[in-house]
Amino acid sequence: MRKVIKGNGAVAHGVRLARAQVISAYPITPQTSIIEELASMVAEGELDARFIKVESEHSAMAGCIAASSAGARAFTATSAQGLALMHELIHWAAGARLPIVLANVNRAMAPGWSIWTDQNDSLSQRDTGWMQVYCESSQEVVDSVIQAFKVSERVLLPTIVVLDAFFLSHTYEDVEIPEQELVDGFLPPLELPQKLDLEHPAALGNLVFPDRYMEFRRKMELAQQHALGVWEEVGREWGELTGRPYGLLEEYRTDGAELVLVCAATAASTARVVVDRMRDAGIPVGLVRLRVFRPFPADAFRAVLGGRRKVLVLDRNCSFGHHGIFHQEIKSALFELPAAEQPEIRGVIAGLGGRDITPEDIEDMLTRAWEGRLEEATTWWDVLPAEDPVRAASVRS
Amino acid sequence: MIEVRIHGRGGQGAVIASQILAEAAFREGKHVQAFPSFGSERRGAPVAAFVRIDDEPVRVRTEIYHPDGLVVLDESLISQKLVDVTQGLKDGGWILINSSHGPERFADLGEYRIATVDASHIAVKHHLGSITAPIVNTAIAGAVASFTHLFGLENLADAIRAHVPIKPDENVAAAMEAAEAVRELAPAAGGR
């Protein structure tokens, strides 16, 4: 059924259709309406799940870990400071190989206090062993939540489904909500190979001596690598069922493109309009939308970017001291190409703290990249001049 | 693509108005987007909400800087110069203002299609909100329908029933009455 819903509602519908059994969550702007809607679905009997109200995000993830350890399909949602507070247990959930799904509404980290979007909250969880998928539309949100449960349960690693604050979370748009029967056929009930069982008592998360710890970690790495193919397979299967296929990344008008823009999330949607406009003007630009960030599809990026003249990576995030994070990772992947196939790479950091990234911004970035007018490896887009490199900026009113 | 900006004050229902307009256009078979100005709202403070309507899926995901039309829920935003309502409005764009006055009063806004409707009076008449704080979003939506023809009244009525949790009949009746009560500035008088 096609309905006008907001991004947060798309998350809730995905969780309902996936028949999550335990939701353990704590509210935070801009995530709040996800769990309000889920609480309402549980109260109204539309979703047969236990909704656990907790006193912090740390406890929210603890609840998911307990539920998942007992074999239940578990879900939580958060943003920014909430995700950071979960961090200890984010590591735990992945190390315990629990297929939890978390929706993170991208929100900038404080201070300065902000409720608006950027990617530093989710990307700070990069090295925890969780998978991450970045969504461009509310349609992709509902589709990706359902796919995330399937992939997570196949590879026994948790997934963060990421959506932009406000540009998706609070924007109403028309979304095709899949039928329950279709999702039931796609996502069977969860059967974990190991779970807490009263008949066969066991302890989980024991002390592991140096002679075995690396083997556990290696298996997490192998599961991540294996997950690349699973995301592709699951995205293809979803496409056969719904007409909406998904891949690790998405190419838009890359045929013959000599300059390729790489970006993720809603900025990629706006970028499509710009690519169309510039192509019409005869400039050979294309777009690659980063979708699955962990596992990182390095082979896919090499295949699509190798041999291009120029690549521009737009990051709505920053690894302070070393470029935007997507920029780093793509550059690292392309380093394995033969020298003759390596494109010139530039990075732009834009839109932090919810600053709008307009079509005019993107066209300007691409024009400057095309004309060789981005001198620095990374350019901070549309910022006031910094007078003093050390002193923190003061807030002037 | 049609882009609409709605100006109001916190509590007047600008965000719900944006959802109703989007839902009504969706029921006409269009693709839509509706969103509030991204921030924290305070009761009585100026707020804005936005709507995009297109035959194709809407890809641009930014705020609206150059709307085709404006809906102003509270004329004091104009008279008290609290908001530069026409900022970025496209040449030849339209403005619909909730006012007890005729559109001539707003001719100074510029060479736009300008109309007024007394949505507050209509809302109060249908017991929507109070005299001091009428809920005007459904009445104004009715006026948008007849002024812009972006959607029909039947689809608007369905949209109101889908989005307004209380007094559905009163809200639909207010929309229908407001649709008949729009006063448009004669084109010749629009310029200066």
Side-chain angles (χ1 to χ4, degrees):
Chain A
M1 183 175 49
R2 202 162 185 85
K3 277 184 82 170
V4 182
I5 58 173
K6 58 182 182 178
N8 280 354
V11 174
H13 279 289
V15 173
R16 172 181 63 80
L17 290 165
R19 297 190 188 274
Q21 293 162 297
V22 174
I23 296 147
S24 169
Y26 189 82
I28 181 170
T29 300
Q31 156 266 32
T32 307
S33 54
I34 295 175
I35 61 169
E36 281 177 346
E37 201 156 325
L38 283 168
S40 162
M41 287 172 175
V42 172
E44 301 291 328
E46 295 165 28
L47 172 59
D48 182 16
R50 179 77 68 87
F51 190 101
I52 307 175
K53 289 175 280 183
V54 290
E55 82 289 1
S56 76
E57 287 85 357
H58 191 273
S59 301
M61 184 49 63
C64 285
I65 289 171
S68 189
S69 300
R73 189 169 278 160
F75 173 82
T76 192
T78 191
S79 288
Q81 315 300 121
L83 185 63
L85 183 57
M86 265 184 202
H87 180 69
E88 183 207 356
L89 292 176
I90 289 280
H91 275 285
W92 191 282
R97 306 297 301 275
L98 298 171
I100 299 163
V101 172
L102 181 160
N104 184 69
V105 184
N106 265 153
R107 164 180 162 175
M109 296 299 298
W113 198 241
S114 171
I115 56 172
W116 297 277
T117 199
D118 76 39
Q119 295 152 341
N120 262 68
D121 59 349
S122 51
L123 291 172
S124 293
Q125 310 302 329
R126 182 184 66 172
D127 302 334
T128 57
W130 283 61
M131 299 185 285
Q132 294 197 12
V133 53
Y134 287 78
C135 298
E136 176 185 10
S137 66
S138 292
Q139 184 68 63
E140 186 174 12
V141 169
V142 64
D143 293 346
S144 294
V145 166
I146 296 164
Q147 290 170 54
F149 279 107
K150 180 149 182 160
V151 176
S152 279
E153 291 168 11
R154 287 262 300 271
V155 304
L156 298 179
L157 286 172
T159 300
I160 304 180
V161 177
V162 185
L163 59 154
D164 281 319
F166 299 105
F167 292 109
L168 278 190
S169 67
H170 286 63
T171 296
Y172 281 78
E173 59 185 353
D174 46 306
V175 174
E176 184 66 34
I177 301 173
E179 296 301 324
Q180 185 67 63
E181 300 75 53
L182 181 150
V183 178
D184 286 345
F186 173 79
L187 182 67
L190 173 60
E191 273 304 330
L192 283 181
Q194 286 174 302
K195 59 183 174 186
L196 291 173
D197 178 358
L198 291 174
E199 300 298 316
H200 302 92
L204 304 178
N206 290 324
L207 184 67
V208 176
F209 285 83
D211 65 337
R212 282 292 177 269
Y213 184 87
M214 272 187 76
E215 280 67 24
F216 279 105
R217 294 284 135 168
R218 175 92 199 290
K219 291 198 79 173
M220 281 171 69
E221 171 61 17
L222 292 173
Q224 281 270 345
Q225 296 299 334
H226 178 65
L228 284 166
V230 178
W231 275 105
E232 282 192 299
E233 188 186 322
V234 165
R236 206 161 38 232
E237 187 191 345
W238 185 254
E240 285 160 9
L241 288 171
T242 63
R244 297 187 299 275
Y246 292 88
L248 297 166
L249 47 76
E250 187 188 357
E251 295 180 55
Y252 183 71
R253 302 195 72 169
T254 49
D255 277 357
E258 294 179 45
L259 165 62
V260 174
L261 174 68
V262 181
C263 62
T266 53
S269 185
T270 304
R272 292 169 192 268
V273 178
V274 179
V275 166
D276 284 351
R277 197 190 286 172
M278 293 180 78
R279 275 287 173 121
D280 289 347
I283 304 167
V285 296
L287 169 71
V288 171
R289 181 172 73 88
L290 185 157
R291 177 174 183 253
V292 176
F293 173 68
R294 277 293 179 276
F296 192 73
D299 284 337
F301 273 110
R302 277 191 287 272
V304 63
L305 298 179
R308 310 280 179 183
R309 266 180 69 195
K310 294 171 185 241
V311 168
L312 177 66
V313 184
L314 194 172
D315 275 289
R316 203 169 209 156
N317 63 75
C318 177
S319 174
F320 300 100
H322 193 54
H323 306 296
I325 293 166
F326 298 150
H327 180 186
Q328 288 177 11
E329 301 239 346
I330 284 161
K331 198 178 257 180
S332 149
L334 299 192
F335 187 74
E336 291 179 32
L337 287 168
E341 290 180 33
Q342 293 202 10
E344 176 190 297
I345 303 180
R346 288 289 184 270
V348 165
I349 290 175
L352 302 191
R355 187 171 299 188
D356 210 359
I357 302 175
T358 66
E360 291 70 29
D361 286 323
I362 295 171
E363 183 161 356
D364 199 9
M365 289 170 199
L366 281 167
T367 303
R368 282 178 60 181
W370 179 243
E371 294 174 355
R373 292 190 290 113
L374 291 173
E375 290 84 14
E376 308 290 330
T378 291
T379 301
W380 281 67
W381 195 255
D382 184 31
V383 283
L384 296 170
E387 292 140 12
D388 179 326
V390 176
R391 225 176 116 250
S394 57
V395 176
R396 277 165 289 186
S397 54
Chain B
M1 181 163 62
I2 302 291
E3 296 182 309
V4 180
R5 188 170 67 210
I6 302 169
H7 292 280
R9 290 176 181 270
Q12 281 186 322
V15 177
I16 300 281
S18 73
Q19 292 165 15
I20 292 169
L21 300 189
E23 178 83 31
F26 167 70
R27 285 163 190 266
E28 299 280 336
K30 305 289 186 182
H31 293 278
V32 295
Q33 245 184 26
F35 50 97
S37 53
F38 302 144
S40 42
E41 289 192 358
R42 287 167 298 131
R43 199 166 185 83
V47 297
F50 307 88
V51 185
R52 289 192 172 100
I53 301 170
D54 202 354
D55 293 327
E56 303 296 322
V58 180
R59 300 185 297 178
V60 64
R61 294 179 183 278
T62 67
E63 296 183 27
I64 290 173
Y65 299 98
H66 300 289
D68 297 277
L70 302 175
V71 175
V72 183
L73 300 183
D74 189 325
E75 64 177 307
S76 73
L77 295 172
I78 299 172
S79 60
Q80 297 178 10
K81 299 193 192 314
L82 289 174
V83 180
D84 179 9
V85 292
T86 57
Q87 186 178 35
L89 180 62
K90 281 184 187 158
D91 289 345
W94 52 264
I95 309 172
L96 175 66
I97 303 161
N98 171 24
S99 171
S100 57
H101 299 285
E104 307 75 26
R105 188 182 181 89
F106 302 97
D108 284 355
L109 286 174
E111 291 186 32
Y112 304 108
R113 265 189 79 202
I114 298 172
T116 58
V117 63
D118 195 352
S120 297
H121 173 75
I122 294 168
V124 170
K125 191 172 143 193
H126 291 275
H127 310 290
L128 302 171
S130 62
I131 290 177
T132 48
I135 309 291
V136 298
N137 49 19
T138 46
I140 206 90
V144 171
S146 62
F147 183 44
T148 67
H149 305 290
L150 285 170
F151 42 81
L153 290 174
E154 206 164 299
N155 281 324
L156 175 61
D158 290 344
I160 289 172
R161 290 181 195 283
H163 272 274
V164 178
I166 55 165
K167 298 187 183 175
D169 294 336
E170 290 87 339
N171 277 291
V172 169
M176 298 304 139
E177 183 172 340
E180 301 295 323
V182 177
R183 291 182 285 175
E184 185 174 351
L185 197 60
R192 278 180 297 165

